[in-house]
Structures are given as C-alpha cells and as structure tokens.
C-alpha cells in the first residue's frame, strides 16, 4: 500500500505545481499534448460529443500519465512525476526518521490543516449558482440502493479502509498509548470524526459539482465520478469554470496532498513498528550507512525510479509496547 498510495501524493503535487499559472493548462486545447479531438467547455458541441475528448481528460491521459497505446508499449519514465516522487519520498523520510514522537507532532498539521482548506472550499462552493442542487443530490437518500448487496460491500470496504483497520494503522498507533488509556472513548471518537469528515468533505465537493452541472445543463449524476476521476478529472474541470480558477485549483490539490501525506506517514510507521518490535536492540545498535530502517524503507519503495538520496543516519526508536 505504501508503494501504490504514494502515487496520489505524486499526482497531487504535480497538479499543484501545474496550477501555479495564470491559466490552468487543462483549460485549453492549445498545448502540445492535445489531439485534434480535444474540446473545451466553450467549444463543446453536443452533436459530435462521441468524437471528442475533453481537454481535462487529455491532460490527465497524455500530460500527467503519458499513457501509451497498450501493455506492449510501456513507454518511458515521466520525468516530472519522477521528480515529484523523489521530492515526496525525501519529505516522508524527514518526517518519520526521528520516530513516533516527531511523527505525532506532524500529524497535528496533516490532520487539522485540511479542515481549514476544506472550509474555504465549502464557503466558496455554496456561493456558486447550482450549489443547492448539488447538496440536495448529495443529501437526499435513495433507499432503493439498499437492496443492492454490492452497496453494502462497498460501504464496508470503505469504512474499514478509511478507519485504518485493514492495514493495521489503528492498532499500531494504539500500541503507543499509556497502559490505562481509555481506548473505548478513543475508538468512538475516531469513528465519529472519520464519518463526519466524509460528510463534511462531500458538502464541499458536491456544491461545486452542482455548479458544474448547472453550467453544462446536465444532471448531477452525469458529472459525478468516483476514484481518481473525481479528483483529477471532474474537479479540475469544474474549477476551470470558476473565477480565479488557478487559486481554487492549487488550494484543492494542496489539501489533497496534505491529506494523503498524513495517510502515507501512518502507513510507513505501520510497516516499521512491528519490525522494530521484533529486533529492538539490534536496530538501536546497528552501525554504518544503513543504520536507519526508515531510510531503508524509503529507498526501497523509491528505487524503481533509480533516484537514491543521501542523508544523516538516525537511530530508530522502539515501539511503545517494548518500552513498557
């Protein structure tokens, strides 16, 4: 998970940098990566919609991912994404190299700062024309879906993953608590904050999707997407129709980066903690260039880019369970 989830951070960092312009690059079809089939919202023609590709989609496919024709043509390393990967892993290493004490302090920033940005986006979203329709679509339940077992499977998968139970994050963090810590209270508090945050974030997203649907004259269900498509296609397309689009785009991708960064930091600690638990004395007394287990991990997962980096060796701190 540490290897694949970091791609969200890399894409977010790339989109953030690309947003720092006077005009968003995916808002036009005048770029070198665009094809003759490229269209923008201003030039879109419903009679030829099956023969065209939106400029936001082309930016995602041909600029960001630089997709090849198929498995038989793997292509080459995308230089910009490789640089973003190097940057992300260096920052991750600097955040986890001193152990859980420093990581815990960093989590205050990665946990609280996204709420500030989310609130700004929500305030802006509800002032847009069509935001009410988007929020109504988001909050009105469709009970017919409850008869579909796949909905319950998806819901269970999402809540277990978002709570960090399925990859051991919460047990790892809990192992650093004091022996008589009230973990019942913590469990209910974390579960409640997790669900309320999802609802709060949905208000911000669907208010802007409602604006996008109103602008295009489409039902909201037609513009809503899931997975990477929502964050890197639908939302970027929506902000192009807003005043001062680069500002709102950079703000959104900064929030996405910080949220993903906090998750990745916890993911790294989840992998490191049990290893340190097994060999605490050996890992604390190792000498040489590869003294830090955290550096080894960051090097291994970023080695696919052949971009190693150097730094000072820092000892690994043992887990809270062994300290007790």
């Amino acid at each position: 998970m540490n290897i694949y989830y970091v791609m969200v951070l890399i894409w977010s960092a790339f989109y953030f940098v690309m947003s720092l312009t006077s005009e968003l690059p995916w808002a036009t079809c005048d770029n070198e990566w665009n094809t003759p089939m490229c269209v923008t919202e201003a030039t879109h023609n419903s009679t030829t919609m099956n023969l065209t590709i939106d400029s936001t989609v082309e930016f995602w496919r041909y600029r960001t991912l630089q997709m090849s024709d198929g498995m038989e043509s793997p292509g080459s390393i995308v230089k910009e994404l490789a640089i973003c990967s190097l940057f992300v892993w260096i920052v991750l290493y600097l955040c986890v190299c001193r152990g859980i004490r420093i990581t815990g302090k960093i989590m205050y920033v990665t946990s609280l700062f996204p709420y500030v940005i989310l609130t700004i986006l929500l305030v802006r979203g509800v002032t847009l024309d069509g935001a009410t329709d988007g929020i109504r679509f988001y909050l009105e339940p469709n009970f017919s879906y409850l008869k579909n077992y796949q909905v319950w499977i998806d819901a269970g998968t999402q809540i277990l993953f978002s709570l960090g139970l399925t990859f051991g994050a919460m047990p790892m963090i809990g192992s650093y608590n004091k022996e008589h810590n009230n973990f019942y209270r913590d469990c209910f508090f974390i579960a409640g904050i997790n669900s309320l945050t999802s609802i709060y974030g949905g208000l911000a997203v669907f208010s802007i999707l409602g604006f996008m649907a109103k602008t295009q004259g489409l039902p909201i269900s037609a513009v809503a997407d899931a997975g990477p498509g929502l964050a890197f296609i639908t939302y970027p397309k929506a902000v192009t129709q807003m005043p001062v689009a680069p500002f709102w785009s950079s703000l959104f991708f900064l929030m996405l980066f910080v949220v993903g960064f906090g998750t990745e930091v916890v993911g790294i600690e989840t992998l490191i903690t049990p290893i340190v638990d097994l060999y605490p004395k050996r890992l604390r007394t190792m000498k040489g260039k590869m003294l830090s287990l955290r550096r080894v991990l960051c090097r291994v997962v970023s080695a696919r880019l052949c971009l190693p980096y150097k730094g000072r060796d820092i000892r690994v701190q043992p887990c809270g369970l062994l300290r007790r």
Side-chain angles (χ1 to χ4, degrees):
M1 192 205 111
N2 288 327
I3 294 176
Y4 86 80
Y5 188 82
V6 78
M7 290 306 303
V8 177
L9 278 72
I10 295 171
W11 293 333
S12 301
F14 177 73
Y15 268 76
F16 173 76
V17 173
M18 298 300 289
S19 299
L20 302 178
T21 59
S22 58
E23 184 180 21
L24 294 176
W26 55 82
T28 65
C29 291
D30 302 327
N31 308 286
E32 59 181 0
W33 60 81
N34 292 128
T35 67
M37 296 183 294
C38 175
V39 294
T40 63
E41 188 59 33
T43 60
H44 189 272
N45 187 344
S46 58
T47 60
T48 60
M49 61 182 303
N50 295 328
L51 304 176
T52 59
I53 303 177
D54 190 85
S55 58
T56 311
V57 177
E58 288 205 346
F59 181 86
W60 170 247
R61 293 179 181 177
Y62 306 133
R63 179 65 179 92
T64 305
L65 302 182
Q66 297 189 20
M67 297 173 60
S68 62
D69 296 331
M71 293 284 291
E72 65 280 358
S73 303
S76 59
I77 293 176
V78 181
K79 180 177 64 175
E80 294 85 352
L81 295 185
I83 295 174
C84 290
S85 178
L86 175 63
F87 166 77
V88 167
W89 278 112
I90 290 177
V91 176
L92 283 170
Y93 170 69
L94 294 175
C95 290
V96 302
C97 65
R98 296 300 298 271
I100 195 66
R101 293 183 183 275
I102 301 300
T103 302
K105 295 178 181 179
I106 294 172
M107 295 306 294
Y108 280 107
V109 178
T110 59
S111 298
L112 298 178
F113 182 65
Y115 286 102
V116 177
I117 301 180
L118 200 59
T119 301
I120 296 174
L121 293 174
L122 176 60
V123 172
R124 176 54 181 156
V126 296
T127 61
L128 296 172
D129 186 24
T132 305
D133 297 332
I135 294 176
R136 184 183 299 112
F137 176 84
Y138 172 59
L139 295 179
E140 287 184 352
N142 188 340
F143 292 104
S144 62
Y145 283 102
L146 298 180
K147 300 177 183 179
N148 187 350
Y149 70 91
Q150 187 62 43
V151 171
W152 293 95
I153 294 175
D154 294 339
T157 302
Q158 171 61 25
I159 196 64
L160 288 174
F161 190 85
S162 63
L163 280 173
L165 298 176
T166 48
F167 56 92
M170 298 311 296
M172 180 277 298
I173 296 174
S175 71
Y176 290 95
N177 283 327
K178 296 180 180 180
E179 186 174 357
H180 298 290
N181 180 68
N182 187 349
F183 69 90
Y184 288 108
R185 177 199 61 197
D186 292 348
C187 288
F188 283 107
F189 179 77
I190 291 171
I193 291 296
N194 175 73
S195 297
L196 291 175
T197 300
S198 299
I199 296 174
Y200 190 59
L203 292 173
V205 172
F206 274 85
S207 63
I208 295 180
L209 290 181
F211 161 74
M212 181 178 176
K214 183 69 173 291
T215 304
Q216 299 179 7
L218 297 172
I220 299 176
S221 57
V223 300
D225 203 349
L230 176 61
F232 299 106
I233 296 179
T234 304
Y235 200 94
K237 182 179 180 180
V239 297
T240 59
Q241 304 168 34
M242 297 168 57
V244 200
F247 172 76
W248 300 111
S249 178
S250 59
L251 203 63
F252 172 77
F253 287 110
L254 177 62
M255 179 195 69
L256 199 63
F257 179 84
V258 174
V259 171
F261 192 86
T263 302
E264 187 70 17
V265 167
V266 173
I268 293 174
E269 288 291 348
T270 302
L271 178 58
I272 292 173
T273 295
I275 299 176
V276 177
D277 279 357
L278 288 174
Y279 309 103
K281 295 182 179 180
R282 186 175 302 177
L283 290 174
R284 282 193 296 172
T285 58
M286 280 196 310
K287 304 294 182 180
K289 294 183 178 180
M290 297 181 67
L291 185 146
S292 175
L293 178 63
R294 286 169 172 81
R295 181 201 285 185
V296 174
L297 173 66
C298 290
R299 278 185 168 176
V300 168
V301 294
S302 61
R304 64 190 185 279
L305 297 176
C306 300
L307 296 172
Y309 59 92
K310 298 180 179 180
R312 296 185 60 184
D313 296 315
I314 301 175
R315 293 183 179 180
V316 179
Q317 300 296 323
C319 172
L321 284 174
L322 289 180
R323 284 200 298 272
R324 293 200 298 271

